[in-house]
Amino acid sequence: MSLDIVILAAGQGTRMRSSLPKVLHPIAGKPMLAHVIDAARALQPNSIQVVIGHGAKQVTQQLAADDVTFVMQTEQLGTGHAVAQAIPNLNADTLLVLYGDVPLIHPSTLSRLLQGVTENTMGLLTVNLSDPAGYGRIVRDNQQQVTAIVEHKDATPEQLTICEGNTGILAASRQHMVQWLGRLSNHNAQAEYYLTDIIAMAVADGVAIHTETATEPMEVQGANDRQQLASLERFYQFQQANVLMAQGVTLLDPARLDIRGTVKVGRDITIDINVILEGNVEIEDNVSIGANCVIKNSILRSGAIIKANCHIEGSEVGPEADCGPFARLRPGTKLEKNAHVGNFVELKNTHLGVAAKVGHLTYLGDSEIGARTNIGAGTITCNYDGANKHRTVMGEDVFIGSNSSIVAPITLGDAATTGAGSTITQDVPAHTLAIGRSKQRNIANWARPQKKS
């Protein structure tokens, strides 16, 4: 059975009170619509059609992809009208309708729904709610067969007591969908063409309604305002935290972890509170991550220790290496085994060798640091001349005195040493002490400058 998927994403989202289109508001750092597109991709359809309207330019700029076709809905006349805009692009046997503001829908749920769709059976995803306010109600007959969906605003007092709600997600043959969409009317409270009206048409045409019920209501929850968006975010993060704990990760407080990407983990990992994991993160066995750390697109090798308040991006922390507290590793940085980066140290595009140490208050940019080299406090590599970046190379067992300025491009040989407070502008041979200081003068009876009144 071939499949086309239509995702409705044309709404303005006025209750968000934002200039950003509703479907671009993020869950776990990714637009809601991107989550839905990912779920659609997992079903391997013939095509993914995204119906856009408000903020169309922003949506297409952010989410353009080879396997996504954008369809413009110039007037927002209801969900039925929106689906109709995509019909000319569809050729598959079956059509599945999803929503760009329902980001947590799971491919396995959609697969179950599609299994019940045939030429004479359509699929409808429902949800049981203790408070279904705002949802269209699923109306069934005495044999529990679906006969219609009634929108909340059009429901009678008796129908409002029904707790089975319509998620809006449905699937049917393309042939039937074309016929039903052409027969829709806008004679209702909102003067819109409701996609849900096709249910009654299907019943009238003798097409059976196969229903699947979402096992978790949050999976089919839409986000119409900031409160609902926040609820979806917390639920998503709760799910991600449970996955990590099932894989052998200790979370000191599962409610205070944010995952905004994909995380691959080993065993016996400990993560303290308020940690953010972004992009693609790999954490091997026996890693410890302290509080308030941000780890983005990075690898933490076995036994690495990340102390509190570190920011690590595009970097690799080697086995048994440690960082922080308050260390920053910028893209292109790699720490080898047992390397040490202390507090208020920033590394950018730097390779720190085995057991090398950068204790505190230091900046190393575009640098190659050899094994067991020790960098004193207050050291900086002057890697930028105002136009171009230059590289600093230090051999093994180098010792850099405190408050040294190493002006690149420059090479320091094995076991070279710089005196504290030096500005080093020339290569230093191996086993050599380099001192670059101006002569000190003491000026007696010198008057300090005074503040002007």
Side-chain angles (χ1 to χ4, degrees):
M1 178 182 67
S2 58
L3 176 68
D4 284 322
I5 298 177
V6 175
I7 303 174
L8 306 188
Q12 185 175 7
T14 54
R15 282 180 279 173
M16 287 289 187
R17 299 186 178 274
S18 172
S19 59
L20 188 69
K22 179 170 71 169
V23 295
L24 293 185
H25 283 264
I27 295 292
K30 184 168 70 174
M32 288 194 288
L33 178 55
H35 285 273
V36 182
I37 291 174
D38 285 346
R41 284 188 178 119
L43 300 175
Q44 299 181 328
N46 284 17
S47 72
I48 300 173
Q49 311 284 327
V50 179
V51 181
I52 55 176
H54 289 287
K57 184 177 180 181
Q58 290 174 276
V59 174
T60 55
Q61 285 177 340
Q62 286 203 33
L63 297 175
D66 292 341
D67 61 345
V68 175
T69 300
F70 292 99
V71 179
M72 190 68 187
Q73 185 188 22
T74 54
E75 294 182 276
Q76 277 68 62
L77 302 178
T79 52
H81 178 261
V83 174
Q85 308 312 298
I87 288 294
N89 298 334
L90 308 180
N91 298 299
D93 301 327
T94 302
L95 169 61
L96 172 65
V97 179
L98 303 177
Y99 295 83
D101 62 350
V102 182
L104 303 188
I105 187 64
H106 199 277
S108 63
T109 301
L110 299 176
S111 293
R112 293 201 318 271
L113 178 67
L114 290 169
Q115 287 171 5
V117 178
T118 67
E119 290 184 1
N120 295 309
T121 304
M122 72 171 295
L124 178 66
L125 186 64
T126 70
V127 60
N128 290 315
L129 300 164
S130 57
D131 180 12
Y135 279 78
R137 303 305 202 276
I138 305 297
V139 180
R140 295 179 182 266
D141 60 20
N142 293 334
Q143 285 74 44
Q144 294 302 303
Q145 298 300 308
V146 176
T147 59
I149 298 176
V150 179
E151 295 298 325
H152 181 93
K153 294 178 180 179
D154 300 316
T156 65
E158 183 181 359
Q159 290 168 336
L160 288 175
T161 64
I162 298 172
C163 291
E164 185 180 17
N166 173 41
T167 68
I169 295 173
L170 54 81
S173 72
R174 180 187 182 280
Q175 181 179 359
H176 282 132
M177 287 292 289
V178 170
Q179 295 174 3
W180 296 331
L181 290 172
R183 290 157 51 190
L184 288 178
S185 166
N186 65 346
H187 298 310
N188 51 60
Q190 295 296 100
E192 291 185 351
Y193 296 93
Y194 291 148
L195 181 63
T196 50
D197 286 348
I198 71 172
I199 301 300
M201 296 180 189
V203 173
D205 292 346
V207 176
I209 311 297
H210 163 74
T211 60
E212 284 288 339
T213 302
T215 55
E216 170 51 61
M218 291 299 287
E219 183 186 1
V220 293
Q221 172 68 53
N224 294 308
D225 55 36
R226 306 281 183 160
Q227 290 85 353
Q228 290 177 338
L229 189 70
S231 295
L232 287 174
E233 178 75 40
R234 285 302 97 212
F235 180 76
Y236 177 88
Q237 296 301 343
F238 175 74
Q239 288 182 309
Q240 300 305 302
N242 281 339
V243 169
L244 291 190
M245 289 187 289
Q247 294 175 328
V249 177
T250 295
L251 303 178
L252 298 192
D253 186 349
R256 288 188 282 177
L257 169 73
D258 271 26
I259 297 176
R260 301 170 186 172
T262 58
V263 182
K264 180 181 178 182
V265 296
R267 296 182 177 183
D268 298 315
I269 295 164
T270 300
I271 300 179
D272 209 330
I273 63 170
N274 300 330
V275 169
I276 298 174
L277 304 177
E278 293 188 59
N280 296 314
V281 176
E282 181 177 349
I283 308 172
E284 295 185 349
D285 297 347
N286 300 302
V287 169
S288 172
I289 302 176
N292 309 314
C293 290
V294 178
I295 316 292
K296 182 176 182 179
N297 294 322
S298 295
I299 300 173
L300 310 181
R301 298 297 185 192
S302 296
I305 298 174
I306 312 300
K307 298 175 184 175
N309 301 293
C310 288
H311 194 292
I312 299 174
E313 178 181 359
S315 299
E316 179 178 338
V317 179
E320 312 297 332
D322 70 288
C323 294
F326 294 99
R328 184 183 182 194
L329 307 187
R330 292 168 58 190
T333 293
K334 181 177 181 179
L335 276 55
E336 295 290 355
K337 183 176 182 179
N338 293 122
H340 166 69
V341 173
N343 52 289
F344 302 105
V345 170
E346 178 180 352
L347 306 185
K348 188 272 291 186
N349 193 27
T350 289
H351 182 195
L352 196 62
V354 173
K357 297 180 180 180
V358 190
H360 29 243
L361 302 165
T362 291
Y363 169 71
L364 301 180
D366 302 302
S367 299
E368 182 76 27
I369 310 299
R372 300 174 302 281
T373 286
N374 190 319
I375 310 291
T379 295
I380 63 169
T381 55
C382 307
N383 57 319
Y384 183 53
D385 63 9
N388 300 293
K389 300 290 180 67
H390 300 283
R391 197 149 184 85
T392 296
V393 177
M394 299 184 192
E396 298 180 352
D397 301 299
V398 172
F399 185 93
I400 303 297
S402 298
N403 294 321
S404 290
S405 297
I406 313 298
V407 183
I410 195 168
T411 298
L412 288 75
D414 292 345
T417 302
T418 68
S422 293
T423 297
I424 306 299
T425 59
Q426 300 176 22
D427 290 351
V428 181
H431 304 280
T432 300
L433 170 64
I435 301 175
R437 304 171 182 154
S438 62
K439 185 177 180 180
Q440 179 175 323
R441 291 189 300 149
N442 294 336
I443 302 174
N445 302 316
W446 177 71
R448 290 183 177 177
Q450 301 295 317
K451 287 186 178 180
K452 295 181 180 180
S453 59

